[in-house]
């Protein structure tokens, strides 16, 4: 039997950010496992602070140096900025979690590693071995999940190192400049790489999220802001960074509601498969809810994302139940 090829979401075009937003809306209109309580959004928006937290990109967790050093560090971090689904297993194997966050647990030891051994060149990155990742992130040695996670990180780093070496003469800063001041263009450049190709088939429609490609642009903007430079003139167009942190906060706060079966699976710590209907709906409905909240607040979607993500790692009540767990390189 012939199968019908998956079709792009309505309104999808060559603009990556328009495509992501179209996917949010497309899935949210059809979701069967996740519901947005739209009637609660106005009150929720009014209760949100007007400013995101101040420690978005801080020297305690991040390396800030010369332009090339800052670019190299931030893009290296971007290549391995995933692992939320591995977090509990890695902690159980002895990996120390920093500030309740997989992101900080990667960013901080990476900064310390580079301060000790020096910047990782694109050529060296292209030859990364799992053992190097273990040292880089202070991961446990010889444990199953840490070995799996190290292999995935090494694969991502090799892929990105080859790309920067071949396409941008080994210069991370040249790669950034090639985006010509556009966060959308930088995310689109990254999205061509398999480890950033965060696109999934939802009932015959291809839905894109590109979380890591987008947060790479967001982190670079924050990092270079510390150097007094604004990289991207369209940073306000980024969507939320669709992972498991913000959906979890929106669920706990009563904006998202999961069906009973999905809620029970998440609460029991069961894995939600990457690309499953449930996982796509969680990410897309959270993205659509953030779009609504951003419009109500008159803010960028990333401002809402930063506010809610920090709740996920800093607010004690959000630790009472687990966020959904998906083992993927996309977040």
């Amino acid at each position: 039997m012939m199968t019908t090829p998956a079709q792009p979401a309505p309104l999808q075009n060559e603009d990556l950010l328009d495509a992501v937003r179209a996917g949010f809306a497309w899935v949210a209109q059809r979701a069967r496992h996740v519901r947005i309580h739209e009637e609660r959004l106005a009150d929720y928006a009014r209760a949100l602070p007007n400013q995101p937290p101040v420690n978005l990109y801080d020297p305690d967790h991040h390396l800030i140096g010369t332009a090339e050093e800052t670019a190299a560090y931030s893009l290296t971090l971007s290549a391995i900025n995933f692992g939320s689904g591995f977090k509990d297993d890695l902690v159980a194997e002895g990996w120390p979690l920093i500030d309740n966050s997989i992101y900080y647990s990667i960013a901080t030891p990476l900064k310390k590693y580079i301060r000790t051994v020096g910047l990782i060149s694109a050529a060296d990155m292209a030859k990364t071995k799992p053992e190097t990742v273990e040292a880089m992130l202070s991961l446990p040695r010889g444990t199953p999940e840490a070995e799996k996670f190290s292999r995935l990180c090494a694969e991502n780093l090799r892929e990105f190192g080859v790309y920067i070496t071949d396409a941008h003469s080994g210069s991370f800063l040249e790669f950034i400049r090639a985006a010509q001041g556009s966060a959308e263009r930088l995310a689109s450049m990254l999205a061509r790489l398999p480890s950033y190709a965060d696109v999934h088939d939802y009932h015959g429609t291809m839905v894109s999220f590109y979380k890591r490609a987008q947060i790479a642009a967001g982190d670079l903007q924050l990092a270079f802001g510390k150097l007094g430079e604004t990289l991207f003139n369209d940073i306000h167009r980024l969507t939320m960074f669709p992972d498991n942190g913000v959906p979890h906060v929106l669920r706990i706060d009563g904006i998202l509601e999961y069906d009973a079966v999905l809620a029970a699976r998440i609460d029991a710590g069961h894995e939600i498969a990457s690309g499953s209907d449930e996982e796509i709906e969680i990410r897309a409905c959270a993205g659509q809810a953030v779009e609504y909240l951003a419009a109500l607040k008159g803010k960028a979607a990333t401002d809402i994302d930063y506010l809610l993500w920090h709740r996920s790692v800093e607010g004690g009540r959000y630790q009472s139940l687990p966020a959904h767990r998906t083992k993927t390189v996309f977040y």
Side-chain angles (χ1 to χ4, degrees):
M1 179 186 299
M2 293 185 64
T3 58
T4 303
Q7 298 299 312
L11 306 180
Q12 188 167 351
N13 54 38
E14 293 183 354
D15 185 284
L16 178 143
L17 302 176
D18 286 347
V20 172
R21 286 187 164 90
F24 289 167
W26 175 258
V27 174
Q29 290 168 2
R30 293 159 177 81
R32 297 175 299 167
H33 304 281
V34 182
R35 174 189 176 193
I36 304 173
H37 281 286
E38 295 184 23
E39 74 281 3
R40 301 174 184 172
L41 287 167
D43 287 342
Y44 190 70
R46 279 191 290 270
L48 289 175
N50 287 323
Q51 298 298 326
V54 295
N55 60 333
L56 296 178
Y57 203 95
D58 61 275
D60 289 339
H61 297 104
H62 302 91
L63 186 149
I64 301 165
T66 67
E68 182 66 33
E69 289 168 347
T70 302
Y73 167 80
S74 189
L75 288 167
T76 302
L77 173 59
S78 170
I80 53 177
N81 182 13
F82 69 96
S84 60
F86 293 87
K87 181 180 72 173
D88 291 344
D89 291 337
L90 292 173
V91 170
E93 291 179 348
W95 193 43
L97 194 65
I98 298 174
D99 291 350
N100 293 318
S101 165
I102 187 77
Y103 173 72
Y104 289 146
S105 300
I106 293 171
T108 308
L110 176 62
K111 179 196 75 170
K112 293 178 179 177
Y113 179 83
I114 290 175
R115 288 295 192 203
T116 301
V117 305
L119 284 172
I120 307 163
S121 70
D124 285 340
M125 188 181 292
K127 299 179 287 187
T128 303
K129 296 181 179 180
E131 296 78 12
T132 303
V133 175
E134 289 177 350
M136 184 186 297
L137 303 184
S138 300
L139 286 163
R141 293 182 179 272
T143 59
E145 291 303 309
E147 287 186 350
K148 184 186 302 182
F149 184 62
S150 296
R151 285 197 302 272
L152 291 171
C153 288
E155 288 171 7
N156 284 13
L157 289 166
R158 288 195 298 269
E159 174 190 88
F160 190 62
V162 168
Y163 170 62
I164 293 296
T165 300
D166 292 350
H168 297 283
S169 306
S171 171
F172 299 95
L173 194 56
E174 180 182 302
F175 164 74
I176 294 170
R177 302 303 186 206
Q180 300 176 344
S182 169
E184 189 276 335
R185 187 174 292 116
L186 183 130
S188 295
M189 291 160 62
L190 289 173
R192 299 174 189 142
L193 302 177
S195 69
Y196 285 90
D198 189 3
V199 184
H200 310 273
D201 185 343
Y202 183 74
H203 297 277
T205 294
M206 299 309 294
V207 176
S208 54
F209 294 107
Y210 297 123
K211 184 263 182 179
R212 283 181 42 238
Q214 291 197 72
I215 202 170
D219 274 1
L220 284 166
Q221 183 85 336
L222 293 171
F224 274 75
K226 302 293 185 181
L227 304 179
E229 181 177 355
T230 299
L231 288 180
F232 307 119
N233 56 27
D234 58 349
I235 199 72
H236 62 282
R237 293 193 58 232
L238 294 178
T239 76
M240 72 161 277
F241 307 128
D243 55 16
N244 66 344
V246 171
H248 178 61
V249 170
L250 291 173
R251 179 196 175 196
I252 297 296
D253 287 349
I255 299 301
L256 294 185
E257 181 181 348
Y258 302 165
D259 70 39
V261 173
L262 176 59
R265 290 177 61 205
I266 292 172
D267 294 348
H270 296 164
E271 184 175 352
I272 307 301
S274 178
S276 64
D277 284 1
E278 294 90 339
E279 192 251 0
I280 291 170
E281 290 178 14
I282 289 171
R283 298 175 77 195
C285 288
Q288 186 68 0
V290 168
E291 289 293 309
Y292 290 144
L293 292 168
L296 288 165
K297 293 289 285 185
K299 298 286 186 180
T302 51
D303 289 335
I304 306 301
D305 179 278
Y306 290 137
L307 284 167
L308 298 179
W309 182 84
H310 274 267
R311 285 188 179 185
S312 74
V313 298
E314 295 169 0
R317 75 189 189 94
Y318 300 103
Q319 313 301 319
S320 61
L321 289 173
H324 82 266
R325 188 165 67 97
T326 299
K327 291 186 176 180
T328 175
V329 297
F330 297 131
Y331 59 94

